[in-house]
Structures are given as C-alpha cells and as structure tokens.
Amino acid sequence: MSQVSIEQDAIEDIAGGEFERTPVPTSKLKGWKSFIGMYAGEHAAGTEFMIGPLFLTAGVSAFDLIIGLLIGNLLAVLSWRFLTAEIAVKNRLTLYYQLEKICGKKLVTGYNLANGILFCFLAGSMITVSATAVGIPFNMPMPKLDDTLPNGMTWVIIVIVIGAVISLIAARGYDTVTKAANWMSPIIVLAFIACGIVALSQLGVDSFSKFWDIWGEGSAPFPGQTKFTFWHVVIWSWFANGAMHIGMSDLSVFRFAKEAKAGWATAAGMYVGHYMAWIAAALLYAVYIQSPEALSYLNNGQAPPVAPGPMAYNAIGVLGIIAVVLAGWTTANPTIYRAGLAFQAILPKLSTAKVTILAGTLATIAGLFPAFAMKLLGFVALYGFILAPFGAIIVFEHFFHKKAGIIKNYAEAANLSFSKSVFWAWAISFGLFYFISIQFDVFLSFVTLPAWLLCGLLFLIFSKYFQNKKN
C-alpha cells in the first residue's frame, strides 16, 4: 500500500469512513441485497402508516388508488434505475460533493442547508408516527389531523426519547443503518400484511365485490383536504420520493453499489411499501372511520384523526405497536443519515457522527409538532418540488454535456464558488411553476416534472452562454 493510500485511509477513518469527499473504493462496494433490505425497510415504514389513511381523507377511489399506485411506483423505480443508480456508479460521489463540483461551494451551501432541514422535517414526522404507538400504554391523547403544537408533556417526553435512540443509530453510519433496516423490515412487512388481512375481516370483506362496494367509488374529501383523482395518485406516487431519484439525493446511497442494476432494488420499497403497505394502512383507517368516535368527528364537520399507533393496535394488538415504532425508525434512520451528509458538506471538519446527531436533534424538535406528519401529502409534494430540479442539473450535465459543448464540473474546473448557470436555471423554473401552482390552483406534484425539465434545459443554455463568455 502506498503512503498516499495509507494517508487517505486515515482521513476516511477520521471522517467516519463514509467517503464524503472521495469516490467510494471498490473494497467498500455492496451487493444488491443490502439495497433491497434498506429500501424495503425505509419504504415499508412510518410514512406508509400516514400516507395510506391520508389517501382516504382525500376521497380517492379504489380503482384510482390500486392502478394509480401501480403505474406511479413503476415510474419511480425506472427513475432510480436509469438515472440515479446509473450516475452514482459512474462517479461514486455523494450528491452534495457532486453538486459542489458543478455549482460551487457558496451556492451548494444554501442547497445543502435547505436539503438537510427538509430531511429533518421528514424524519421528524416519522418520530411523530412512532410516538403515536409508544403513547398507547400511557393513555396519551393522540394528535388530531389539524393539530400543529404538542398536546401535552407526555407527548414531548416520548418524542424526545424516540428521537434520541434513532439519532444514535443513524450516527453509527451507513453500515449500521442498513443492518437496522435488514433486521426490522421483515417484521414490519409481516405486520402490514397482517393489518390488511385483519382490517378486511373487520370490514366484513370476503370478496372483491364487497371490497368494491365499501370503497369502490371513493368519496368527497374530508374537511380541509384536497380531492385526489387517478392522476393525483400516479403523479404524487411517482414524485413522493422525487428528491431521492430525479433529485439525485440517492447518489449518496447508490455510490456504494457494485452495479447500476442495484437500482432495481428500489422496487422492494415501492411495491412492498408504497403499494401493499399504503393500501393496508388505508384499510386500517377505513375500519376506524366507521367507529362511533370517527363518526362523531364527521358529524361535527371535522376530519377524524390519523393516529397509526391506535389503528395498528386495534388490528393486531401489541405487534401493531411494535410495528409502528419500528416503521418510524426505519424511515427516520436513513433520512437523518442523509441530512447529516448534507450538513457535513457545510461543516466538513465535523465527523459524520457529530453532524448526524445535529440532524437528529433537529428532527426530534420537528417531531414535537404533529403538523409535519398530518400534512404529509402536501409536505412531500413541496419537498420534491423544491429539491428535484437540482437533480436535473446533474442529469443533464452527465448525459448532455458533450452534445451541448459545455465543460463538465465547471465550477471545479474554473474555481468558481457560485454558478450563475445553476442559480438562474433553478430560480426561473422554481419561480415560474410555483406561480402557476398558486395562481391557477394546480396540485404541486403536477408541475414537478415540467420544472425539472425546464431547469435542466436552462442549465445547459446558461452554461453554454456563461462559459463562452468567460472564454
């Protein structure tokens, strides 16, 4: 081993061994099994206990949900496989370091800060989900669909304890995150299946026709909720993880893959989690909304609360509590890990463990406020819309830089700290389509793809202009 290699290994050990600013070496690459476990664990997880019921509050029909999710999740898998994984195995860099090479240090600092904070909010919503299960033995009042603030000291204590445990697991690095997911995911998947079967029994469903009679045509949305159609389901499910696939955040995960084919492993998350688990969780809520408590809310013009812990407990008892707790963990763990990487790009002198603890602390604070979980459909749409266009910068440069006649990683090559090409491409695409969404009341997920495409195209045009101008 050369002296350079020895020094590099020492640097990586100091940084936590996560290769934040160097390509992942061949010796650290992982097979497809690691990714199946991680994606199945992450996506058959806490968000599923929230999103499934929230579809019902949006009045979605059975056909729109079943077929819409089938198509939307396929589009998500294809995005991971042919965009994210393809680029990740070529460069083997984190999203944050890759963007720094293209955008410059100053510009990417703002992106990393926004990305890390949004990740923390998402992880916080999963801590909220776990807390609804842990609070059952303590007779803790559950948060309502329109709640924003903590509803008592019991809630605060439970959230803080859960957040601390999750943060410590995430701080131990990628290997610990994947091991935790591999251990927990089979339990969670079995629990979702059991919940769905029990819920069907509780609804008196023993044939598809009865299922269709109960749910088939959907309903009017609950008070304060948006009505979801077939296209809402397709587009929303495609871009529910838009920041991760077309937004390239999972470059940080797939840089450890031996081959781009590992991108197919995301299907384990999409069809076990975003398909089976969403439908199973929706069935749990279908049982609840027939209860006297839920009917009293509806009769008063209010939306019944969505509390995953009690719903799962009602179906499968103590196993339901355990499943909801673990489900929250398996989503929050990798999310906090990703947030830590974002913060480390801003604070490179801090170790992976320290920045992950920082991210976990912010996530725990966010978890105290139920609004992040209760408004998850809207938050996820906004989150993807803000971050996904930055992924277009990487994608369009990777695939089209030669045809466009631009220099790859120009900020690094020209020693730029702020890329005007990237800034104006994102600002124009974001501003234009956000205005359209607000002005014409267009669901935000519907304009995510147009904003992504426009951002990538403008980046090529502006890069050509500014690079020729400088030369």
Side-chain angles (χ1 to χ4, degrees):
M1 181 181 289
S2 68
Q3 183 61 35
V4 172
S5 298
I6 294 172
E7 290 175 355
Q8 185 61 56
D9 287 346
I11 290 170
E12 296 298 348
D13 287 339
I14 292 170
E18 298 297 312
F19 314 105
E20 291 84 4
R21 300 183 70 80
T22 58
V24 175
T26 304
S27 62
K28 297 293 184 179
L29 299 183
K30 299 180 182 296
W32 58 272
K33 290 183 180 179
S34 294
F35 298 96
I36 284 182
M38 181 173 183
Y39 278 95
E42 183 180 358
H43 296 284
T47 44
E48 282 54 73
F49 276 112
M50 287 301 304
I51 290 170
L54 289 175
F55 276 127
L56 283 193
T57 70
V60 69
S61 74
F63 176 86
D64 291 350
L65 187 67
I66 293 170
I67 305 303
L69 290 183
L70 196 69
I71 296 171
N73 287 321
L74 175 61
L75 292 171
V77 172
L78 293 174
S79 300
W80 261 303
R81 167 59 184 89
F82 292 105
L83 295 179
T84 318
E86 200 69 37
I87 295 172
V89 298
K90 293 289 194 307
N91 301 324
R92 301 204 179 279
L93 300 174
T94 66
L95 164 72
Y96 316 108
Y97 191 41
Q98 183 67 64
L99 274 179
E100 185 179 317
K101 289 171 174 286
I102 301 171
C103 304
K105 184 70 174 178
K106 289 182 179 178
L107 181 55
V108 85
T109 295
Y111 170 85
N112 289 334
L113 182 61
N115 200 5
I117 291 173
L118 288 170
F119 273 136
C120 288
F121 289 163
L122 182 60
S125 69
M126 293 307 96
I127 294 173
T128 296
V129 167
S130 291
T132 66
V134 176
I136 291 175
F138 303 98
N139 293 318
M140 181 187 73
M142 295 297 161
K144 298 181 180 65
L145 203 57
D146 57 355
D147 276 358
T148 301
L149 300 175
N151 60 8
M153 187 53 64
T154 304
W155 173 263
V156 172
I157 293 171
I158 289 173
V159 167
I160 290 174
V161 171
I162 294 173
V165 174
I166 291 173
S167 300
L168 289 173
I169 293 174
R172 294 182 64 86
Y174 183 86
D175 283 339
T176 302
V177 169
T178 55
K179 285 176 183 176
N182 288 335
W183 177 75
M184 295 177 186
S185 58
I187 300 172
I188 299 165
V189 170
L190 288 174
F192 270 116
I193 294 172
C195 283
I197 293 172
V198 172
L200 286 172
S201 175
Q202 292 174 332
L203 290 168
V205 174
D206 55 13
S207 67
F208 188 75
S209 61
K210 286 189 178 180
F211 170 78
W212 199 264
D213 288 340
I214 290 174
W215 189 359
E217 299 304 319
S219 64
F222 286 4
Q225 307 302 303
T226 301
K227 172 66 177 178
F228 264 38
T229 66
F230 173 79
W231 290 110
H232 281 82
V233 176
V234 171
I235 300 300
W236 190 91
S237 59
W238 182 8
F239 296 127
N241 292 111
M244 280 75 167
H245 48 73
I246 65 169
M248 296 292 110
S249 180
D250 275 0
L251 291 179
S252 302
V253 174
F254 282 115
R255 65 199 171 112
F256 287 96
K258 291 180 181 178
E259 297 179 289
K261 292 178 181 178
W264 292 117
T266 58
M270 295 302 98
Y271 287 101
V272 174
H274 289 193
Y275 195 76
M276 182 277 290
W278 279 352
I279 293 173
L283 290 170
L284 288 178
Y285 194 62
V287 173
Y288 170 69
I289 58 178
Q290 293 185 359
S291 68
E293 178 184 306
L295 291 173
S296 68
Y297 280 103
L298 291 171
N299 291 335
N300 291 326
Q302 298 176 309
V306 178
M311 287 191 297
Y313 178 69
N314 178 58
I316 56 175
V318 175
L319 177 59
I321 296 177
I322 295 171
V324 172
V325 172
L326 296 183
W329 284 6
T330 54
T331 303
N333 272 333
T335 304
I336 289 173
Y337 172 76
R338 290 187 182 103
L341 288 177
F343 292 144
Q344 190 164 49
I346 303 171
L347 305 167
K349 292 183 179 179
L350 292 183
S351 68
T352 302
K354 289 181 180 178
V355 291
T356 306
I357 291 295
L358 171 62
T361 301
L362 292 177
T364 303
I365 294 171
L368 293 171
F369 300 93
F372 291 112
M374 301 304 154
K375 301 294 184 183
L376 197 59
L377 294 180
F379 172 71
V380 168
L382 176 63
Y383 163 77
F385 177 74
I386 292 173
L387 297 181
F390 275 96
I393 303 296
I394 295 174
V395 172
F396 276 66
E397 187 198 66
H398 180 83
F399 289 106
F400 304 118
H401 73 279
K402 290 182 180 179
K403 290 183 179 179
I406 63 173
I407 299 171
K408 193 175 182 180
N409 296 332
Y410 186 69
E412 181 182 52
N415 197 29
L416 294 178
S417 62
F418 187 95
S419 169
K420 294 179 181 178
S421 303
V422 173
F423 174 77
W424 287 113
W426 178 83
I428 291 172
S429 59
F430 173 86
L432 173 62
F433 285 102
Y434 190 74
F435 171 79
I436 290 173
S437 174
I438 298 299
Q439 184 68 25
F440 300 102
D441 194 27
V442 178
F443 186 55
L444 204 53
S445 289
F446 287 161
V447 293
T448 298
L449 183 60
W452 189 86
L453 292 170
L454 180 61
C455 186
L457 183 61
L458 288 177
F459 167 72
L460 295 179
I461 294 171
F462 289 150
S463 293
K464 184 78 171 179
Y465 173 77
F466 286 118
Q467 287 181 21
N468 287 345
K469 185 178 180 181
K470 187 165 184 178
N471 295 332

